Amino acid sequence: MSTPANQRPASRSHRLRRAAAALAGSAALLAASALTPGTAAAADQLPEGLFGSGDPQMDGVWRQSVALLAQHSVGYTPAEEAVTWLAGQQCGDGSFLAYRANPAEPCEDVTGADSNATALAAQALAALGGHGEAVDAALTWLTGVQNEDGGWGYAPGGATDANSTAVIVGAFTAAGRDPAEVTRDDRSPWDALTALQLGCGAAEDQRGAFAWQPDEETGDLTGNGPATADAVLALYGSGLLVDPGTEEAAPLEVAECGTAGSPSGEPSDGDTPEGADGGEDGDGTEEPGGDTPGEAPGDRTDPGMPSDGASEDTVPAHVTAASAGGAQLQALLGANEQHLVTTLPGSADDEQPDYGSTAKTVLALAAGGHRDAAQAPLGWLRENAGAWPDVTASPAALGMLILAAHATDTSATDFGGTDLVAALDRLGPAPDEGAADAAGDGDDGGSPGAVVWVVVGVGLVIGIVIGVLLTRRRARKAE
């Protein structure tokens, strides 16, 4: 089945930004090399501590961070040179560029700072531990470039978008900071994200979805699958390293909006009736975030969505927004054989599987404690990940799959017949196996080979003990 039109990228400008700004392992970076000229890096010119052999100009820090998070998630201690390389990429002001060929030289061009790379590097360094000063410096820089609406864009000063805001929220939560307390002009990231959510003023099949950004000309919001996945993950208070033991925060459902057939005939959350000033503008679109004019984002229990009787004392507004977005993701998966799709610039095909965003969807659903809902897209990834172009050569792609396996307590060593952990290890410095069994943890019981070796080892020990006892008994008889 095809993707609902409301979930496709709204415009050419949206697709171009996603292609230029997103990073390896997601739909965004697939076209980055075509949009941003770069010099191909010879293998002998790449740093020894860096994962992957591709040109790192656009994604060096990103792919390194994902790889380190993935190794950490399976209980390995990443190689020291790999961690040192990532930490050494940080600029003096706390930010990270996408890649620095010569870290010994200062970061003179501050306009090249990359909010996404900074945030994900902070997530990785926070998870690994021992890098408190670097993480604090990164968060301080991110706080300093926060937009007035509480969110962030890809570059400092750029308009807020859902994906950048989400990965930055993940950095603060990874460091133990409450995103609600990270504010600019009294606006938090929760305000920025919920302002991008489509509410009761939108078409029924769009309610709960998130837009990447408002349309530059009209300000209208158009639901987008990858943006929704990122926003839901962030609103559930998680980065890429999802706790597989998370309990369900709230049911996956978009609360019913009032209709003409309801007892009151009015929207249940007090939204302005369709077509009236301040609500819908009569053409099927709504004000960004669905807020009533004069109401600051976040004033209502759930901007743009009805409260459905939920109290802020029981379910926080951002969690309600996340659950509504999760319901939209679940519907979107059901319409596309349990995966998200994307339309690539210049592609002859209308739609192609978006493996990276499907993995993000697994993370988002798992972060809300929706284990059963996460199993369907996870199953699709297990069956189809081998078709992800160059997946075994991409540290970020392999890392995202490993993180999806971790979030769902699934084995990463037998993921649809592929040992993802071993494949990642081949692309970078060998880790220290801090927990030999961890990579095999999961519903399928881990690697059968590991069990065999344990049995063999126990047998050898028993054999040695028996041999020693027999020898002593013979010696006594000889005496």
Side-chain angles (χ1 to χ4, degrees), residues 410-431:
T410 300
S411 174
T413 58
D414 184 14
F415 194 85
T418 299
D419 187 338
L420 300 174
V421 179
L424 178 61
D425 290 350
R426 288 191 289 269
L427 300 181

Side-chain angles (χ1 to χ4, degrees), residues 432-458:
D432 297 326
E433 298 187 7
D437 298 346
D441 286 348
D443 295 335
D444 54 9
S447 170
V451 177
V452 171
W453 281 111
V454 170
V455 174
V456 171
V458 172

Side-chain angles (χ1 to χ4, degrees), residues 3 118 132 169 204 239 361 472 475-476:
T3 307
T118 301
V169 165
E204 185 174 356
T361 298
R472 290 180 176 177
R476 288 174 181 172

Side-chain angles (χ1 to χ4, degrees), residues 270-456:
D271 278 350
T272 306
E274 295 185 8
D277 291 340
E280 293 236 355
D281 58 11
D283 63 358
T285 59
E286 62 172 332
E287 295 292 329
D291 288 320
T292 302
E295 207 173 38
D299 283 352
R300 297 190 302 189
T301 301
D302 184 12
M305 297 303 299
S307 64
D308 198 27
S311 166
E312 290 187 5
D313 294 334
T314 56
V315 181
H318 65 278
V319 174
T320 303
S323 296
Q328 179 63 221
L329 283 174
Q330 194 173 37
L332 185 58
L333 291 167
N336 290 283
E337 300 179 349
Q338 299 305 319
H339 66 282
L340 300 190
V341 297
T342 187
T343 303
L344 301 178
S347 172
D349 299 327
D350 290 338
E351 295 173 346
Q352 295 185 20
D354 187 340
Y355 299 91
S357 293
T358 301
K360 280 279 191 72
T361 298
V362 173
L363 298 182
L365 294 173
H370 310 297
R371 298 184 185 88
D372 292 341
Q375 288 300 316
L378 179 74
W380 184 90
L381 285 171
R382 289 179 62 130
E383 293 179 9
N384 297 278
W388 192 347
D390 299 321
V391 61
T392 57
S394 169
L398 289 169
M400 286 300 301
L401 293 175
I402 292 172
L403 290 169
H406 169 75
T408 52
D409 200 20
T410 300
S411 174
T413 58
D414 184 14
F415 194 85
T418 299
D419 187 338
L420 300 174
V421 179
L424 178 61
D425 290 350
R426 288 191 289 269
L427 300 181
D432 297 326
E433 298 187 7
D437 298 346
D441 286 348
D443 295 335
D444 54 9
S447 170
V451 177
V452 171
W453 281 111
V454 170
V455 174
V456 171

